[in-house]
Amino acid sequence: MSDHDRTNGHRFRAELPAEVTAPPSAAEETPGERTPAALTGRQRLVKGLWPPRVTRAQLIVALLLFGLGFGLAVQVASNSDGDSALRGARQEDLVRILDELDDRTQRLEDEKQGLEKQRGELENSSDQAEEARKQTVEKERQLGVLAGTVAAQGPGITMTVQDTKGRVEADMLLDAVQELRAAGAEAIQVNGVRVVAGTFLTDSGDTVSVDGNKINAPYRFKVIGKPQDLEPALNIPGGVVQTLEKELATVTVERSSKIVVDALRAAERPDYARSSSR
């Protein structure tokens, strides 16, 4: 290159306009010359997070995670025991459960009372039936004694009438029976013949017949009842003993703590009378 070219080159660089010179570097800028577009680190972080930029892939992953969590929660809840379920129940549900338990408890209590009442009725019914059976047996025995169909024993007296003159008649012995009944005699037997409500006495020649059965002296009365009442009833003034003694009969009355009346009568079935009970 000639001296002329180098001279022209220096001249060309020297004549370049100021507008095309290179801008100053950032290091050469003064503090007062910072541009408004520059941001701090916190501002850039906030600007990067909001508004959120959700992609389709992120949305799908979030939905999958939500479904997985919900399934796990349902599984845990279904496997938890009753106490855990009650602990997680709402107040309204707990109140409803308590009301249902109270209602069920009341129903069970009512059922218990009903069963206890039935048991009491059965027990009372059983006792009443047993008592009725006992009363029936006792009543049957009593009626049997009065009807002469069963034997009887108990305290009472024995009256013996010796008629050596043969002057004792049926009506005298009937008066003795009536006096004994009035004094409370419960069972009477004369010479092996049971005396009952329908008993009748008649004269049969030199003897006496009781219900058609002839009996001979001595006439022996076996009577069950209270001795303290029976003996005085026979010995009252103008009574049985004095009447028999006027006929020259000998009468002895002895008290006893045990009198056995074992003569029996066959039960008679009435021809016309029937029970009116239904």
Side-chain angles (χ1 to χ4, degrees):
M1 179 180 296
S2 62
D3 294 336
H4 178 73
D5 293 335
R6 284 193 293 270
T7 301
N8 291 337
H10 288 295
R11 184 183 298 156
F12 175 77
R13 286 195 296 272
E15 293 176 353
L16 287 173
E19 293 78 6
V20 299
T21 59
S25 62
E28 296 175 351
E29 292 179 354
T30 60
E33 295 176 349
R34 181 174 296 174
T35 60
L39 301 175
T40 63
R42 179 178 297 178
Q43 290 174 341
R44 288 194 299 270
L45 179 60
V46 172
K47 186 176 181 181
L49 294 176
W50 190 263
R53 297 180 179 86
V54 180
T55 63
R56 183 176 181 180
Q58 291 175 341
L59 181 60
I60 294 174
V61 172
L63 292 175
L64 292 176
L65 292 176
F66 175 78
L68 179 61
F70 181 78
L72 290 176
V74 172
Q75 184 67 25
V76 172
S78 62
N79 292 334
S80 60
D81 55 8
D83 293 339
S84 299
L86 291 177
R87 284 196 297 267
R90 298 179 302 173
Q91 183 177 359
E92 295 82 2
D93 296 335
L94 293 176
V95 172
R96 178 178 54 81
I97 293 173
L98 288 176
D99 291 340
E100 292 178 355
L101 290 176
D102 291 339
D103 294 340
R104 184 174 183 182
T105 301
Q106 186 62 39
R107 289 194 299 270
L108 292 176
E109 185 66 25
D110 295 340
E111 183 177 358
K112 175 185 175 183
Q113 293 179 358
L115 293 176
E116 290 178 349
K117 183 179 179 180
Q118 292 179 1
R119 183 184 66 181
E121 291 177 351
L122 290 175
E123 291 177 351
N124 293 334
S125 177
S126 177
D127 293 341
Q128 291 178 359
E130 181 65 17
E131 183 64 22
R133 188 189 67 81
K134 292 180 180 179
Q135 292 181 2
T136 301
V137 172
E138 180 64 19
K139 193 68 174 179
E140 181 182 4
R141 188 189 67 81
Q142 294 175 359
L143 293 175
V145 170
L146 296 176
T149 57
V150 297
Q153 67 179 22
I157 64 170
T158 299
M159 183 179 71
T160 303
V161 179
Q162 295 287 350
D163 182 22
T164 58
K165 302 297 181 177
R167 299 176 60 176
V168 175
E169 297 179 353
D171 58 339
M172 299 177 187
L173 299 180
L174 181 59
D175 290 340
V177 171
Q178 299 289 16
E179 195 66 40
L180 291 170
R181 285 176 174 171
E186 298 177 351
I188 302 174
Q189 175 178 317
V190 182
N191 288 27
V193 179
R194 187 71 169 264
V195 177
V196 295
T199 295
F200 59 93
L201 287 82
T202 60
D203 292 323
S204 179
D206 296 334
T207 61
V208 177
S209 293
V210 181
D211 291 334
N213 301 301
K214 292 183 178 182
I215 59 174
N216 298 314
Y219 307 110
R220 181 172 289 106
F221 288 73
K222 300 173 68 173
V223 185
I224 295 176
K226 189 175 181 180
Q228 295 84 348
D229 295 336
L230 297 176
E231 182 180 5
L234 295 174
N235 289 314
I236 60 175
V240 172
V241 172
Q242 288 187 359
T243 300
L244 291 174
E245 288 177 347
K246 287 180 180 180
E247 300 297 331
L248 303 177
T250 304
V251 181
T252 59
V253 178
E254 296 177 356
R255 297 184 184 185
S256 176
S257 59
K258 182 179 180 180
I259 299 295
V260 177
V261 175
D262 52 5
L264 302 180
R265 296 285 294 265
E268 296 181 0
R269 181 182 180 87
D271 296 329
Y272 304 101
R274 296 291 182 271
S275 175
S276 60
S277 62
R278 296 180 180 178

